[in-house]
Amino acid sequence: MPSAAPPIVLTFGLSDPTGGFGIQADLLTLASMGCHGVSVLTGYTVRDSANCDEVTGLDPEVVATQARMLLEDMPIAAFKVGAATRAEVVSAIAEVVADYDDIPLILAPDFTVDDEHVLAADDLRESIADLLAPQTTLLVADQTTLAALAQPDGDADAPGLDAAIAHLLSQGAEYILSIQTGTHRLVNTLFGEEGQLRQDMWDRPPHRLMGTTDTLGAAIAALLANGQEPAEAAREAQEYLYQATLHAFRPGMGAYLLDRFFWAHDDENEEVRVEGAAAVPRYRQPPH
């Protein structure tokens, strides 16, 4: 008899030839965490591990058609949305996921891929803030992105973090995981309608990494697809990301890439102690 299918997660995002972020990074993360990933491209990049030379978006109708074909064929357990290049593509994605409001949606927007900052255009931020954020189960973003989403037209001074989070929650986002980078620590804080739910602190890696936000978002999506509650998924996904970061490698002349299959190594079995989390084995089987 054939084996039962693993949970299926549908991810939307850019193609990255290096495998460091975007769709490729999502698929690696989902596979590592016991899910089958299916994907819909929002565009593609021309880049290596050091630089991005070009970002090209796909037609919104193509994005929507591909997503609906997958949804009509397979039981999707979670959505993850990463970078998009155009407001029209965001609108197409929002229209699709609105028809499946019982499926959890993880939103991990990225406005920093392109050196020319086309991904930070006001209309793109507005479409994410108005159309996708209100449908989101859990929004993963740094403080700059949260402020941009809370004041997407850029006409006024950016709101403070508390005001930005309160605004996004009032618009419909269920949970927000705020990522703050400090000198020596990363401080991630989870908020819900009850206020702050948890805060986790991690050692900051000494080198530049690609794809941390995408990986964190995909890990949360995988855990939700496996039946975890959002707060627990946010905690365990951070542990996964931290261990992938510990074993990052540098395949080229640019950024380090995360080792998303760190648990597959069997040459040691050390424990890692991090503030805010229990000791976890450095190499372990995937969470699910």
Side-chain angles (χ1 to χ4, degrees), residues 86-87 90-91 122-132:
R86 298 168 54 193
V90 172
S91 179
D122 287 348
D123 58 347
L124 179 63
R125 293 199 304 270
E126 288 177 16
S127 61
I128 293 174
D130 294 342
L131 302 176
L132 273 180

Side-chain angles (χ1 to χ4, degrees), residues 2 6 18 20 30 33 38 56 59 77 132 165 173 182 187 192 196 200 246 255 264 281:
T18 73
L30 294 170
M33 302 195 74
V38 295
T56 302
D59 183 89
L132 273 180
I165 289 172
V187 182
Q196 180 176 321
D200 299 279
L246 287 178

